[in-house]
PDB file of all heavy atoms in Angstrom:
ATOM      1  N   ILE A  97     -14.897  20.098 -10.267  1.00 98.00           N
ATOM      2  CA  ILE A  97     -14.142  20.279  -9.027  1.00 98.00           C
ATOM      3  C   ILE A  97     -12.916  19.367  -9.004  1.00 98.00           C
ATOM      4  O   ILE A  97     -11.806  19.794  -8.649  1.00 98.00           O
ATOM      5  CB  ILE A  97     -15.043  20.012  -7.809  1.00 98.00           C
ATOM      6  CG1 ILE A  97     -16.206  21.008  -7.798  1.00 98.00           C
ATOM      7  CG2 ILE A  97     -14.243  20.116  -6.512  1.00 98.00           C
ATOM      8  CD1 ILE A  97     -17.276  20.677  -6.784  1.00 98.00           C
ATOM      9  N   GLY A  98     -13.094  18.115  -9.392  1.00 98.00           N
ATOM     10  CA  GLY A  98     -11.958  17.199  -9.433  1.00 98.00           C
ATOM     11  C   GLY A  98     -10.888  17.673 -10.399  1.00 98.00           C
ATOM     12  O   GLY A  98      -9.688  17.557 -10.114  1.00 98.00           O
ATOM     13  N   THR A  99     -11.298  18.231 -11.523  1.00 98.00           N
ATOM     14  CA  THR A  99     -10.341  18.735 -12.500  1.00 98.00           C
ATOM     15  C   THR A  99      -9.558  19.913 -11.941  1.00 98.00           C
ATOM     16  O   THR A  99      -8.348  20.031 -12.166  1.00 98.00           O
ATOM     17  CB  THR A  99     -11.064  19.130 -13.793  1.00 98.00           C
ATOM     18  OG1 THR A  99     -11.729  17.984 -14.330  1.00 98.00           O
ATOM     19  CG2 THR A  99     -10.093  19.666 -14.829  1.00 98.00           C
ATOM     20  N   ARG A 100     -10.225  20.791 -11.195  1.00 98.00           N
ATOM     21  CA  ARG A 100      -9.529  21.918 -10.556  1.00 98.00           C
ATOM     22  C   ARG A 100      -8.455  21.410  -9.600  1.00 98.00           C
ATOM     23  O   ARG A 100      -7.323  21.905  -9.585  1.00 98.00           O
ATOM     24  CB  ARG A 100     -10.519  22.780  -9.776  1.00 98.00           C
ATOM     25  CG  ARG A 100     -11.355  23.752 -10.613  1.00 98.00           C
ATOM     26  CD  ARG A 100     -10.570  25.019 -10.973  1.00 98.00           C
ATOM     27  NE  ARG A 100     -10.027  25.683  -9.813  1.00 98.00           N
ATOM     28  CZ  ARG A 100     -10.685  26.559  -9.048  1.00 98.00           C
ATOM     29  NH1 ARG A 100     -11.958  26.839  -9.314  1.00 98.00           N
ATOM     30  NH2 ARG A 100     -10.083  27.155  -8.037  1.00 98.00           N
ATOM     31  N   LEU A 101      -8.797  20.409  -8.805  1.00 98.00           N
ATOM     32  CA  LEU A 101      -7.824  19.861  -7.867  1.00 98.00           C
ATOM     33  C   LEU A 101      -6.686  19.149  -8.598  1.00 98.00           C
ATOM     34  O   LEU A 101      -5.518  19.253  -8.214  1.00 98.00           O
ATOM     35  CB  LEU A 101      -8.511  18.905  -6.898  1.00 98.00           C
ATOM     36  CG  LEU A 101      -9.403  19.560  -5.840  1.00 98.00           C
ATOM     37  CD1 LEU A 101     -10.189  18.499  -5.084  1.00 98.00           C
ATOM     38  CD2 LEU A 101      -8.583  20.398  -4.874  1.00 98.00           C
ATOM     39  N   LEU A 102      -7.014  18.421  -9.650  1.00 98.00           N
ATOM     40  CA  LEU A 102      -5.984  17.736 -10.426  1.00 98.00           C
ATOM     41  C   LEU A 102      -5.028  18.739 -11.050  1.00 98.00           C
ATOM     42  O   LEU A 102      -3.809  18.511 -11.095  1.00 98.00           O
ATOM     43  CB  LEU A 102      -6.630  16.874 -11.513  1.00 98.00           C
ATOM     44  CG  LEU A 102      -5.668  16.119 -12.436  1.00 98.00           C
ATOM     45  CD1 LEU A 102      -4.763  15.176 -11.637  1.00 98.00           C
ATOM     46  CD2 LEU A 102      -6.444  15.338 -13.494  1.00 98.00           C
ATOM     47  N   THR A 103      -5.547  19.867 -11.505  1.00 98.00           N
ATOM     48  CA  THR A 103      -4.699  20.907 -12.086  1.00 98.00           C
ATOM     49  C   THR A 103      -3.712  21.448 -11.065  1.00 98.00           C
ATOM     50  O   THR A 103      -2.520  21.626 -11.359  1.00 98.00           O
ATOM     51  CB  THR A 103      -5.572  22.050 -12.636  1.00 98.00           C
ATOM     52  OG1 THR A 103      -6.455  21.524 -13.633  1.00 98.00           O
ATOM     53  CG2 THR A 103      -4.720  23.137 -13.260  1.00 98.00           C
ATOM     54  N   GLU A 104      -4.193  21.700  -9.854  1.00 97.00           N
ATOM     55  CA  GLU A 104      -3.306  22.181  -8.792  1.00 97.00           C
ATOM     56  C   GLU A 104      -2.238  21.141  -8.471  1.00 97.00           C
ATOM     57  O   GLU A 104      -1.054  21.461  -8.334  1.00 97.00           O
ATOM     58  CB  GLU A 104      -4.124  22.495  -7.535  1.00 97.00           C
ATOM     59  CG  GLU A 104      -5.084  23.648  -7.672  1.00 97.00           C
ATOM     60  CD  GLU A 104      -4.387  24.995  -7.691  1.00 97.00           C
ATOM     61  OE1 GLU A 104      -3.216  25.067  -7.292  1.00 97.00           O
ATOM     62  OE2 GLU A 104      -5.024  25.977  -8.111  1.00 97.00           O
ATOM     63  N   ALA A 105      -2.665  19.896  -8.334  1.00 98.00           N
ATOM     64  CA  ALA A 105      -1.713  18.843  -7.999  1.00 98.00           C
ATOM     65  C   ALA A 105      -0.697  18.632  -9.118  1.00 98.00           C
ATOM     66  O   ALA A 105       0.482  18.353  -8.859  1.00 98.00           O
ATOM     67  CB  ALA A 105      -2.461  17.550  -7.702  1.00 98.00           C
ATOM     68  N   ALA A 106      -1.137  18.754 -10.375  1.00 98.00           N
ATOM     69  CA  ALA A 106      -0.229  18.582 -11.511  1.00 98.00           C
ATOM     70  C   ALA A 106       0.861  19.651 -11.503  1.00 98.00           C
ATOM     71  O   ALA A 106       2.027  19.377 -11.821  1.00 98.00           O
ATOM     72  CB  ALA A 106      -1.013  18.626 -12.818  1.00 98.00           C
ATOM     73  N   GLU A 107       0.487  20.875 -11.138  1.00 97.00           N
ATOM     74  CA  GLU A 107       1.496  21.929 -11.045  1.00 97.00           C
ATOM     75  C   GLU A 107       2.511  21.604  -9.952  1.00 97.00           C
ATOM     76  O   GLU A 107       3.715  21.816 -10.114  1.00 97.00           O
ATOM     77  CB  GLU A 107       0.818  23.270 -10.781  1.00 97.00           C
ATOM     78  CG  GLU A 107       0.000  23.782 -11.961  1.00 97.00           C
ATOM     79  CD  GLU A 107      -0.717  25.091 -11.662  1.00 97.00           C
ATOM     80  OE1 GLU A 107      -0.543  25.613 -10.535  1.00 97.00           O
ATOM     81  OE2 GLU A 107      -1.425  25.589 -12.542  1.00 97.00           O
ATOM     82  N   GLY A 108       2.015  21.073  -8.827  1.00 97.00           N
ATOM     83  CA  GLY A 108       2.924  20.658  -7.763  1.00 97.00           C
ATOM     84  C   GLY A 108       3.823  19.517  -8.193  1.00 97.00           C
ATOM     85  O   GLY A 108       5.001  19.464  -7.840  1.00 97.00           O
ATOM     86  N   LEU A 109       3.275  18.593  -8.966  1.00 97.00           N
ATOM     87  CA  LEU A 109       4.038  17.450  -9.463  1.00 97.00           C
ATOM     88  C   LEU A 109       5.162  17.913 -10.383  1.00 97.00           C
ATOM     89  O   LEU A 109       6.319  17.525 -10.218  1.00 97.00           O
ATOM     90  CB  LEU A 109       3.093  16.504 -10.202  1.00 97.00           C
ATOM     91  CG  LEU A 109       3.672  15.223 -10.758  1.00 97.00           C
ATOM     92  CD1 LEU A 109       3.895  14.210  -9.645  1.00 97.00           C
ATOM     93  CD2 LEU A 109       2.735  14.628 -11.829  1.00 97.00           C
ATOM     94  N   ARG A 110       4.804  18.754 -11.353  1.00 97.00           N
ATOM     95  CA  ARG A 110       5.820  19.232 -12.292  1.00 97.00           C
ATOM     96  C   ARG A 110       6.840  20.136 -11.595  1.00 97.00           C
ATOM     97  O   ARG A 110       8.028  20.100 -11.920  1.00 97.00           O
ATOM     98  CB  ARG A 110       5.130  19.961 -13.449  1.00 97.00           C
ATOM     99  CG  ARG A 110       4.339  19.029 -14.373  1.00 97.00           C
ATOM    100  CD  ARG A 110       3.824  19.755 -15.603  1.00 97.00           C
ATOM    101  NE  ARG A 110       2.690  20.607 -15.287  1.00 97.00           N
ATOM    102  CZ  ARG A 110       1.411  20.271 -15.468  1.00 97.00           C
ATOM    103  NH1 ARG A 110       1.106  19.067 -15.954  1.00 97.00           N
ATOM    104  NH2 ARG A 110       0.443  21.114 -15.183  1.00 97.00           N
ATOM    105  N   GLY A 111       6.366  20.915 -10.629  1.00 97.00           N
ATOM    106  CA  GLY A 111       7.276  21.770  -9.887  1.00 97.00           C
ATOM    107  C   GLY A 111       8.296  20.989  -9.082  1.00 97.00           C
ATOM    108  O   GLY A 111       9.374  21.506  -8.762  1.00 97.00           O
ATOM    109  N   ASP A 112       7.985  19.753  -8.762  1.00 97.00           N
ATOM    110  CA  ASP A 112       8.909  18.888  -8.031  1.00 97.00           C
ATOM    111  C   ASP A 112       9.807  18.089  -8.970  1.00 97.00           C
ATOM    112  O   ASP A 112      10.577  17.242  -8.522  1.00 97.00           O
ATOM    113  CB  ASP A 112       8.118  17.938  -7.130  1.00 97.00           C
ATOM    114  CG  ASP A 112       8.961  17.385  -5.986  1.00 97.00           C
ATOM    115  OD1 ASP A 112       9.399  18.187  -5.132  1.00 97.00           O
ATOM    116  OD2 ASP A 112       9.184  16.161  -5.952  1.00 97.00           O
ATOM    117  N   GLY A 113       9.681  18.340 -10.268  1.00 97.00           N
ATOM    118  CA  GLY A 113      10.545  17.663 -11.227  1.00 97.00           C
ATOM    119  C   GLY A 113      10.136  16.245 -11.557  1.00 97.00           C
ATOM    120  O   GLY A 113      10.957  15.467 -12.061  1.00 97.00           O
TER     121      GLY A 113
END
Side-chain angles (χ1 to χ4, degrees):
I97 299 170
T99 300
R100 281 280 305 275
L101 287 171
L102 178 59
T103 301
E104 294 286 343
E107 291 178 2
L109 182 76
R110 290 187 285 262
D112 201 64

